[in-house]
């Protein structure tokens, strides 16, 4: 069975939409079709959060709300979800608790960014930790730019409204919303358009494999946090879109005592807790991975498959020795992740082949991992350089090493010369570390761009080798880090 419409839950009822162009964004639909103009367009690239809306999905028997950037999310991607915009929050003429708190705390001036901020706080109101910390509020707001008010009153409003158990119209209507969303889950393939221009959402891997084999020129979309910019900034004339968000099984994680298997469409938000259990540095890396909106939409498989040289996740997974599973038609194959990246935006992937799963080995008792994201600001920023290290220790000596960097070359890449120089080093002899630090220059010849100079990247990479060795030798991070203190994190555990 093939459905020729998308269906979503909106204000307590099911809505069906058909006949839209595959490049239609959710923001354009809201403003131009529904004429709901509370959702704003600011940057049109998923950075400022003025376009934030909430999507609800049934998880664990209840509706779980997450924020998304409507400016770069395709309309078809809301199939099967509940859509909530700022206009939906009032009930019987009364402001939502989050809105009331923003008024009481004077959290808005011009108001342009306020709708997106309110929607981020709405999701925090329903899904945030209790008791609520200021740090959690700051994380929730990292993807919302306030252009004139200042964050102190906004954070005060969040602490006032989101610290208690949620009690609003969405809580009252929770059972109805669960039933409505459950009824939308029909397991059908979606195909809107014709053979030359379409939006498709296969419901199974077999359907995906068959469709992509038939249309290898189609653009695969998972979270659309990258492809969305091709449309809004690059004005790409994408005519065929295959969305992976409905493919059953691609969003599954499987964990054993030795490894973590992550399906291609597992979001960064969903993968975060499991990756953090492998190592605290992975947890801190994922916390700083874009904004909450980006982590809720972006996927592990998408971050790998787009082959970006500045993707933060690939270097960390390469250093851990991860493997990638791909599928083409009925055939699957597995390769080391580092072999997937051939050249800038080129991967070892034949037409019609897609990323299926990545398997991440867990650390053994004698293995140490470190990962460092270097950027101009801590939150929601693209890395100037990202370095990851795994050392296998034999007592106080390094028996094996895996090192990978992003932002240093045309692809995420292993530092093979550095790895070789690290083997045999004593953690108790810092004077012997110079050769390994110097070897970085043989592994990478970075470029100058607007994020940093080649000289800066080269110096940072060299210093990160020393930092990883120093932290491994001492077991402490208080002298080497401003955030992500491993000793503090491990003590909390």
């Amino acid at each position: 069975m093939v459905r020729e419409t998308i269906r979503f839950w909106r204000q307590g009822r099911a809505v069906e939409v058909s006949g839209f162009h595959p490049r239609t964004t959710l923001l354009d639909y809201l403003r131009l079709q529904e004429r709901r103009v509370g959702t704003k367009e600011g940057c049109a690239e998923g950075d400022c959060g003025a376009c934030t809306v909430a999507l609800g999905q049934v998880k664990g028997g209840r509706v779980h709300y997450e924020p998304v950037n409507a400016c770069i999310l395709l309309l078809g991607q809301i199939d099967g979800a509940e859509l909530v915009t700022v206009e939906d929050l009032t009930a019987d003429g009364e402001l939502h608790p989050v809105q009331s708190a923003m008024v009481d705390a004077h959290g808005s001036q011009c108001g342009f960014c306020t709708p997106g901020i309110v929607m981020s706080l709405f999701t925090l109101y329903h899904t945030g930790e209790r008791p609520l910390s200021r740090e959690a509020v700051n994380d929730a707001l990292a993807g919302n730019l306030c252009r004139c008010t200042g964050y102190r009153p906004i954070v005060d409003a969040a602490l006032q409204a989101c610290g208690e158990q949620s009690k609003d119209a969405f809580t009252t209507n929770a059972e109805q919303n669960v039933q409505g969303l459950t009824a939308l889950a029909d397991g059908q393939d979606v195909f809107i358009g014709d053979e030359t221009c379409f939006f498709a959402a296969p419901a199974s891997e077999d359907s995906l494999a068959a469709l992509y084999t038939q249309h290898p020129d189609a653009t695969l979309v998972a979270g659309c946090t990258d492809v969305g910019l091709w449309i809004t900034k690059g004005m790409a004339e994408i005519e065929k879109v295959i969305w992976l968000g409905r493919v059953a099984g691609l969003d599954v994680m499987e964990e054993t005592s030795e490894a973590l298997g992550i399906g291609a469409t597992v979001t960064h938000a969903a993968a975060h807790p499991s990756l953090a259990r492998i190592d605290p540095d992975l947890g801190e890396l994922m916390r700083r991975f874009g904004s909450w909106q980006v982590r809720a939409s972006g996927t592990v498989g998408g971050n790998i498959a787009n082959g970006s040289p500045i993707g933060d996740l690939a270097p960390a997974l390469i250093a851990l020795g991860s493997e990638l599973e791909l599928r083409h038609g009925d055939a699957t194959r597995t390769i080391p992740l580092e072999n997937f990246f051939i050249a800038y935006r080129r991967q070892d992937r034949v037409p019609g082949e897609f990323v299926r799963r990545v398997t991440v080995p867990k650390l053994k008792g004698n293995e140490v991992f470190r990962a460092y994201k270097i950027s101009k600001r801590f939150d929601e920023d693209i890395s100037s350089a990202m370095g990851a290290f795994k050392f296998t220790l034999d007592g106080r000596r390094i028996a094996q090493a895996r090192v990978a960097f992003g932002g240093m070359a045309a692809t995420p890449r292993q530092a093979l010369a550095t790895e070789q120089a690290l083997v045999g080093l004593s953690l108790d002899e810092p004077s012997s570390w110079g050769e390994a630090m110097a070897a970085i220059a043989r592994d990478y010849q970075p470029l100058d761009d607007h994020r940093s100079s080649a000289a800066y990247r080269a110096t940072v990479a060299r210093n990160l080798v020393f930092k990883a060795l120093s932290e491994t030798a001492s077991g402490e991070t208080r002298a080497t880090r401003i955030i992500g203190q491993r000793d503090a994190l491990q003590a909390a555990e």
Side-chain angles (χ1 to χ4, degrees):
M1 297 291 292
V2 177
R3 176 159 40 90
E4 297 181 349
T5 64
I6 63 165
R7 305 188 307 175
F8 55 94
W9 194 250
R10 183 95 166 97
Q11 298 176 322
R13 65 184 182 89
V15 177
E16 287 197 69
V17 180
S18 63
F20 57 88
H21 194 281
R23 293 196 302 271
T24 303
T25 65
L26 176 55
L27 180 66
D28 282 347
Y29 168 78
L30 288 172
R31 294 183 64 85
L32 303 178
Q33 299 300 317
E34 282 199 5
R35 304 301 295 176
R36 296 300 183 94
V37 295
T39 307
K40 309 299 184 185
E41 179 177 276
C43 64
E45 58 186 42
D47 272 347
C48 77
C51 66
T52 302
V53 300
L55 293 184
Q57 307 231 354
V58 177
K59 297 180 181 180
R62 68 180 187 90
V63 182
H64 179 80
Y65 294 100
E66 291 184 301
V68 296
N69 291 308
C71 69
I72 56 172
L73 196 79
L74 299 181
L75 172 60
Q77 290 180 257
I78 68 172
D79 183 81
E82 179 183 5
L83 172 63
V84 184
T85 70
V86 70
E87 292 93 344
D88 304 331
L89 299 191
T90 58
D92 300 324
E94 296 291 328
L95 291 178
H96 188 274
V98 165
Q99 293 172 311
S100 294
M102 285 286 284
V103 172
D104 294 342
H106 305 287
S108 177
Q109 289 187 47
C110 78
F112 186 86
C113 303
T114 303
I117 290 169
V118 165
M119 292 311 301
S120 288
L121 295 185
F122 166 80
T123 57
L124 183 66
Y125 179 81
H126 277 276
T127 63
E129 63 181 34
R130 303 291 189 274
L132 184 64
S133 66
R134 185 172 290 269
E135 289 74 19
V137 172
N138 290 339
D139 279 346
L141 291 172
N144 291 91
L145 174 62
C146 173
R147 292 168 169 86
C148 57
T149 302
Y151 287 95
R152 185 198 54 76
I154 297 171
V155 173
D156 288 345
L159 292 170
Q160 174 186 326
C162 302
E164 303 297 329
Q165 199 67 30
S166 60
K167 186 178 181 181
D168 59 6
F170 296 88
T171 307
T172 303
N173 299 325
E175 185 175 347
Q176 175 190 351
N177 292 336
V178 168
Q179 291 174 353
L181 287 169
T182 302
L184 294 181
D186 57 9
Q188 292 184 335
D189 294 336
V190 172
F191 192 94
I192 300 170
D194 56 35
E195 293 297 305
T196 62
C197 182
F198 62 77
F199 176 90
S204 69
E205 270 199 58
D206 289 343
S207 293
L208 167 61
L211 181 63
Y212 198 30
T213 300
Q214 184 180 355
H215 296 278
D217 58 331
T219 299
L220 296 185
V221 168
C224 209
T225 55
D226 190 30
V227 174
L229 273 70
W230 303 359
I231 295 171
T232 63
K233 296 299 185 180
M235 305 301 171
E237 297 290 333
I238 298 173
E239 301 294 326
K240 300 179 180 180
V241 172
I242 301 176
W243 177 47
L244 308 181
R246 299 185 73 253
V247 179
L250 280 189
D251 61 346
V252 172
M253 286 191 291
E254 298 174 342
E255 191 164 359
T256 68
S257 59
E258 296 182 348
L260 174 66
I262 307 174
T265 63
V266 173
T267 66
H268 299 306
H272 184 177
S274 296
L275 288 171
R277 285 194 294 271
I278 291 178
D279 189 84
D281 275 14
L282 277 177
E284 179 62 19
L285 180 69
M286 297 306 291
R287 186 191 70 78
R288 295 178 58 200
F289 201 112
S291 62
W292 190 4
Q293 292 93 321
V294 168
R295 294 193 296 271
S297 298
T299 65
V300 171
N303 189 254
I304 292 170
N306 70 9
S308 171
I310 52 175
D312 284 339
L313 194 52
L317 299 187
I318 288 173
L320 286 167
S322 302
E323 293 185 327
L324 195 65
E325 184 179 347
L326 301 106
R327 176 170 174 175
H328 181 247
D330 293 329
T332 61
R333 65 187 177 105
T334 300
I335 60 173
L337 179 56
E338 60 267 24
N339 292 351
F340 181 64
F341 305 103
I342 299 173
Y344 180 71
R345 297 286 186 177
R346 280 189 57 218
Q347 304 90 44
D348 179 10
R349 187 164 61 92
V350 300
E353 188 173 36
F354 60 90
V355 172
R356 185 175 184 273
R357 181 176 306 277
V358 60
T359 301
V360 185
K362 293 183 178 180
L363 295 170
K364 297 181 174 62
N366 63 335
E367 293 178 337
V368 174
F369 180 79
R370 292 292 187 271
Y372 309 107
K373 176 182 174 74
I374 307 301
S375 56
K376 292 182 178 179
R377 61 180 188 264
F378 283 136
D379 295 309
E380 201 193 10
D381 198 10
I382 294 172
S383 295
S384 299
M386 187 275 158
F389 304 80
K390 185 178 80 169
F391 302 140
T392 302
L393 302 182
D394 181 5
R396 296 287 291 174
R397 289 194 177 273
I398 297 176
Q400 296 179 22
R402 287 184 65 92
V403 179
F405 274 82
M408 294 287 290
T411 64
R413 202 171 74 196
Q414 258 184 289
L416 297 177
T418 304
E419 290 177 356
Q420 185 176 3
L422 284 165
V423 174
L425 287 187
S426 170
L427 296 175
D428 298 322
E429 299 175 8
S431 60
S432 68
W433 299 349
E435 182 181 347
M437 295 166 60
I440 281 286
R442 300 198 298 273
D443 285 313
Y444 306 107
Q445 290 78 47
L447 298 176
D448 290 302
D449 61 22
H450 63 280
R451 293 188 187 92
S452 66
S453 67
Y456 175 82
R457 286 188 166 106
T459 300
V460 162
R462 176 187 174 96
N463 290 347
L464 289 184
V465 175
F466 180 84
K467 184 172 182 174
L469 289 168
S470 177
E471 289 186 356
T472 302
S474 67
E476 295 187 357
T477 58
R478 284 172 291 183
T480 56
R481 301 192 185 191
I482 298 173
I483 61 171
Q485 300 278 337
R486 289 178 60 96
D487 34 341
L489 288 170
Q490 290 167 338
E493 293 172 358

